[in-house]
């Protein structure tokens, strides 16, 4: 039986008083955590949720988020976490395309989910403890029998298309991911993981995320990231490890008074996903004197964490994201799918039991994403003679801003709805705070008048705030190659030279 609740029950029986979760002043033991999961499963069952049904959440971090995720698995249903930063239109597309039977949302998002069918709003009390739902006695439900190949989760991710794609995650994907990260990160039951990133993201839920619960460790969960609260928690709770988006690391390193905290318990953080400058690594280790900075590479399609930098190699292999984990294979291939030798750039392709089998209800995109059984990441890089991976570019047209993926075509789709727009291209430019910022380059129709303010208003109505371009630039034509393809690299170089 591979239900997520199975290993919570194991620790609840063996070590009922062991600390499992800390959230907003609550210190929740494994026994209490399993009780909450069981009660939430009963509540969902009473609403008609069963095996194979899809349960979506539109929520910030909370104890309830995790209780719902594990209760959904307990019933054999499928969990669908949705990015709470999305617009109503984007949320409606995802839940509709997935076929969600029930949507649970924080009350603060009531206006965004108002148009959806079968929505349950959770107030602050329910966010802290789902046992307040359902009132009195609820009929017991047995833990559903799930197999490794069964679907555990859907996660919609921005890609090269104008709509997000639903990544299929099986229990096999998730558990092999956990095993690989436990080995590579040397996790133990004594680890105390700080989770400050959003749980709808693989960085927070999976890197290493709930793998800590496999071992009987503790998760310290914050509703959202705050640099002062994060440093205070590391000191007060003797936190040992965390995943931080690069933006989070930057804010902690820039915070006044950061040196006053006792951070000696902290062993490591994973904070990569981009080319981390040597200066950033040295600044990190000067603040976290006992910790190492782990650069890495991973995808939603692989449950995160495909390569991780090894201890002592951070400076020797600067610019690299490390080597593949135990059950991950990486090859560099050309456009025809031929394997390239060390040192030669090409598309990063992956194979292994943690790699998705494809996209929900989308056989065409699934087929296009594989060379045989090798998943095509869409990222460009090379392997050196020692097997260390370096990322050099993105083949797919993707912007990563503050750890969030933005498909430029998603933004372009909205811009093309504006009648005065003849052509447009959205690119990512380097940004000191966010890593990249989305920028729109627009060609107005002849005689038309366009303003940046009007275009921004239109984007805000239809897109999540982080996807709205930070700048709008107007020009008479876009650079194109002989076949008519827009040369976004030329645009990036031109725009970067202006700043």
């Amino acid at each position: 039986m591979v239900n997520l609740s199975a290993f919570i029950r194991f620790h609840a029986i063996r070590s009922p008083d062991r600390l499992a979760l800390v959230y907003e002043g609550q210190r929740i033991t494994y026994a209490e955590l399993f009780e909450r999961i069981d009660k939430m499963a009963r509540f969902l069952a009473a609403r008609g949720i069963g095996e194979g049904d899809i349960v979506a959440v539109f929520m910030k971090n909370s104890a309830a988020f995790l209780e719902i995720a594990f209760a959904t698995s307990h019933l054999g249903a499928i969990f669908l976490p949705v990015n709470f930063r999305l617009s109503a239109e984007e949320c409606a597309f995802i839940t509709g395309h997935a076929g969600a039977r029930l949507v649970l949302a924080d009350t603060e998002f009531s206006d965004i989910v108002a148009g959806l069918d079968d929505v349950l709003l959770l107030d602050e009390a329910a966010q802290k403890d789902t046992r307040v739902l359902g009132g009195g006695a609820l009929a017991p439900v047995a833990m559903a029998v799930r197999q490794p190949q069964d679907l555990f989760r859907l996660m919609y991710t921005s890609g090269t298309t104008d709509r997000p794609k639903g990544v299929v995650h099986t229990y096999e994907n998730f558990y092999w991911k956990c095993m690989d990260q436990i080995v590579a990160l040397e996790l133990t039951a004594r680890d105390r993981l700080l989770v400050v990133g959003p749980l709808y993201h693989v960085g927070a839920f999976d890197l290493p995320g709930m793998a800590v619960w496999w071992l009987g460790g503790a998760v310290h969960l914050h509703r959202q990231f705050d640099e002062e609260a994060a440093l205070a928690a590391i000191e007060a709770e003797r936190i040992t490890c965390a995943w931080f988006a690069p933006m989070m690391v930057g804010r902690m390193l820039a915070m006044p008074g950061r040196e006053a905290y006792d951070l000696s318990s902290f062993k490591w953080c994973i904070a990569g996903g981009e080319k981390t400058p040597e200066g950033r690594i040295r600044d990190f280790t000067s603040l976290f004197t006992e910790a190492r900075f782990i650069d890495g590479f991973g995808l939603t399609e692989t449950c995160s964490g495909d390569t991780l930098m090894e201890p002592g190699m951070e400076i020797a292999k600067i610019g690299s994201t490390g080597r593949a984990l135990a059950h991950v294979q990486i090859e560099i291939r050309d456009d025809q799918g031929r394997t390239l030798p060390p040192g030669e750039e090409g598309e990063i392709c992956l194979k292994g039991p943690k790699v998705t089998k494809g996209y929900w209800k989308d056989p065409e995109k699934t087929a296009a994403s594989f060379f045989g059984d090798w998943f095509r990441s869409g990222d460009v890089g090379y392997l050196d003679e020692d097997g260390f991976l370096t990322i050099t570019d993105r083949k797919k047209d993707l912007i990563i801003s503050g750890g969030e993926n933005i498909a430029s075509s998603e933004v372009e789709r909205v811009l093309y709805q504006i009648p005065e727009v003849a052509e447009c291209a959205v690119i990512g430019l380097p940004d000191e705070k966010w890593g990249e910022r989305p920028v729109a380059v627009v060609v107005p129709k002849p005689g038309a008048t366009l303003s940046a303010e009007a275009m921004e208003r239109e984007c805000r109505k239809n897109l999540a705030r982080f996807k709205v371009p930070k700048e709008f630039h107007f020009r008479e034509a876009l650079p194109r190659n002989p076949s008519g393809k827009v040369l976004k690299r030329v645009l990036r170089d031109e725009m970067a030279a202006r700043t």
Side-chain angles (χ1 to χ4, degrees):
M1 183 177 307
V2 294
N3 305 64
L4 299 188
S5 55
F7 57 86
I8 304 298
R9 182 177 64 179
F10 174 85
H11 292 302
I13 294 170
R14 294 275 294 268
S15 306
D17 297 327
R18 180 186 286 273
L19 183 65
L21 177 64
V22 177
Y23 176 69
E24 294 199 346
Q26 302 177 93
R27 305 186 75 80
I28 303 164
T29 66
Y30 274 94
E32 183 182 349
L33 179 59
F34 184 74
E35 176 193 326
R36 290 175 177 222
I37 293 167
D38 180 66
K39 173 77 182 294
M40 188 65 204
R42 296 182 188 205
F43 175 77
L44 292 174
R47 292 186 66 104
I49 300 299
E51 292 190 22
D53 290 331
I54 295 172
V55 176
V57 296
F58 197 83
M59 302 170 63
K60 290 184 177 180
N61 290 0
S62 64
F65 189 112
L66 294 172
E67 290 161 22
I68 294 164
F70 280 66
T72 300
S73 174
H74 191 93
L75 294 173
I78 300 162
F79 187 55
L80 171 60
V82 183
N83 184 341
F84 61 77
R85 296 185 174 98
L86 300 183
S87 68
E89 192 269 342
E90 291 168 311
C91 180
F93 169 79
I94 289 172
T95 55
H97 183 268
R101 281 283 309 277
L102 176 65
V103 179
L104 299 105
D106 292 341
T107 51
E108 65 185 277
F109 303 124
S110 59
D111 56 333
I112 296 176
V113 300
L116 305 180
D117 295 329
D118 206 359
V119 174
L120 175 65
L121 296 176
L122 278 70
D123 61 16
E124 188 174 346
Q127 292 161 19
K128 292 185 72 172
D129 188 343
T130 55
R131 290 176 297 185
V132 303
L133 300 172
L138 293 166
V141 290
M143 191 184 294
V145 177
R146 297 283 87 189
Q147 301 299 327
Q149 67 273 16
D150 287 335
L151 188 58
F152 133 66
R153 179 177 62 186
L154 290 176
M155 295 190 85
Y156 278 72
T157 181
S158 296
T160 55
T161 59
D162 62 358
R163 290 293 192 180
K165 299 176 289 187
V167 179
V168 171
H169 287 156
T170 64
Y171 285 94
E172 178 182 42
N173 297 150
F174 184 71
Y175 282 146
W176 278 101
K177 182 280 303 180
C178 288
M179 284 187 279
D180 270 355
Q181 292 177 4
I182 285 169
V183 171
L185 298 169
E186 300 179 350
L187 293 176
T188 74
R190 295 182 296 278
D191 275 311
R192 295 174 293 281
L193 176 74
L194 179 63
V195 176
V196 293
L199 284 167
Y200 66 74
H201 190 284
V202 289
F205 200 101
D206 296 82
L207 193 58
M210 301 311 111
V212 171
W213 278 350
W214 254 31
L215 302 164
V219 170
H220 295 254
L221 179 66
H222 289 194
R223 186 155 176 81
Q224 57 195 18
F225 174 71
D226 175 85
E227 57 268 36
E228 186 173 358
L231 293 176
I234 293 171
E235 177 181 69
E237 298 287 354
R238 309 304 293 160
I239 299 295
T240 60
C241 48
W243 170 83
F244 294 129
M247 173 272 296
M248 297 175 184
V249 175
R251 282 171 56 177
M252 287 187 291
L253 294 179
M255 194 189 92
R258 59 193 176 277
E259 300 90 354
Y261 293 92
D262 177 3
L263 307 175
S264 58
S265 64
F266 202 60
K267 297 190 300 185
W268 55 259
C269 87
I270 300 171
E274 60 181 31
K275 280 187 174 181
T276 306
E278 182 176 342
R280 169 62 59 87
I281 296 174
R282 293 193 183 280
D283 288 345
F284 175 88
T285 53
S286 69
L287 178 62
F288 297 92
T289 55
E290 304 299 320
R292 64 188 183 97
F293 184 100
I294 305 176
D295 221 328
F297 169 76
L299 307 159
T300 301
E301 286 86 348
T302 62
C303 296
S304 79
D306 301 308
T307 70
L308 293 173
M309 182 56 70
E310 295 160 29
M313 303 298 290
E314 295 87 351
I315 302 302
K317 294 291 186 178
I318 190 71
S320 168
T321 61
R323 282 192 278 209
L325 301 194
H327 298 96
V328 178
Q329 293 175 262
I330 295 179
E331 287 189 355
I332 307 299
R333 298 194 170 201
D334 64 15
D335 290 341
Q336 287 71 48
R338 294 175 297 218
T339 304
L340 299 174
E344 196 164 329
E345 284 189 16
E347 186 171 6
I348 302 166
C349 297
L350 306 102
K351 185 167 71 169
K354 68 196 266 314
V355 177
T356 184
K357 299 296 188 290
Y359 299 106
W360 183 249
K361 298 180 181 177
D362 209 331
E364 289 185 5
K365 289 192 182 79
T366 297
S369 296
F370 285 85
F371 284 133
D373 55 356
W374 286 84
F375 180 75
R376 303 177 62 181
S377 73
D379 291 309
V380 176
Y382 63 89
L383 293 168
D384 69 12
E385 294 285 353
D386 300 317
F388 284 81
L389 176 68
T390 297
I391 302 165
T392 57
D393 200 1
R394 281 193 291 278
K395 193 182 184 78
K396 57 190 176 187
D397 203 5
L398 198 63
I399 301 163
I400 301 180
S401 182
E404 297 280 8
N405 288 355
I406 304 169
S408 59
S409 52
E410 281 187 89
V411 186
E412 290 161 359
R413 174 179 59 83
V414 172
L415 293 176
Y416 273 118
Q417 293 172 3
I418 301 172
E420 294 82 5
V421 172
E423 293 183 311
C424 65
V426 175
I427 58 175
L429 292 182
D431 188 274
E432 187 172 328
K433 180 177 181 181
W434 302 107
E436 287 184 306
R437 65 184 185 277
V439 172
V441 184
V442 180
V443 177
K445 289 181 178 176
T449 301
L450 280 169
S451 70
E453 294 76 17
M455 300 190 76
E456 182 178 349
R457 283 197 300 273
E458 189 66 25
C459 288
R460 284 186 180 276
K461 284 193 298 184
N462 295 284
L463 292 168
R465 192 168 183 175
F466 68 87
K467 297 179 184 178
V468 176
K470 301 294 186 289
E471 303 168 22
F472 293 87
H473 298 271
F474 301 96
R475 55 190 293 166
E476 294 181 357
L478 298 178
R480 297 180 181 272
N481 66 12
S483 65
K485 181 178 174 62
V486 175
L487 297 172
K488 290 193 174 181
R489 180 172 287 188
V490 172
L491 278 178
R492 282 193 292 268
D493 291 344
E494 289 178 1
M495 301 303 295
R498 296 183 186 181
T499 58

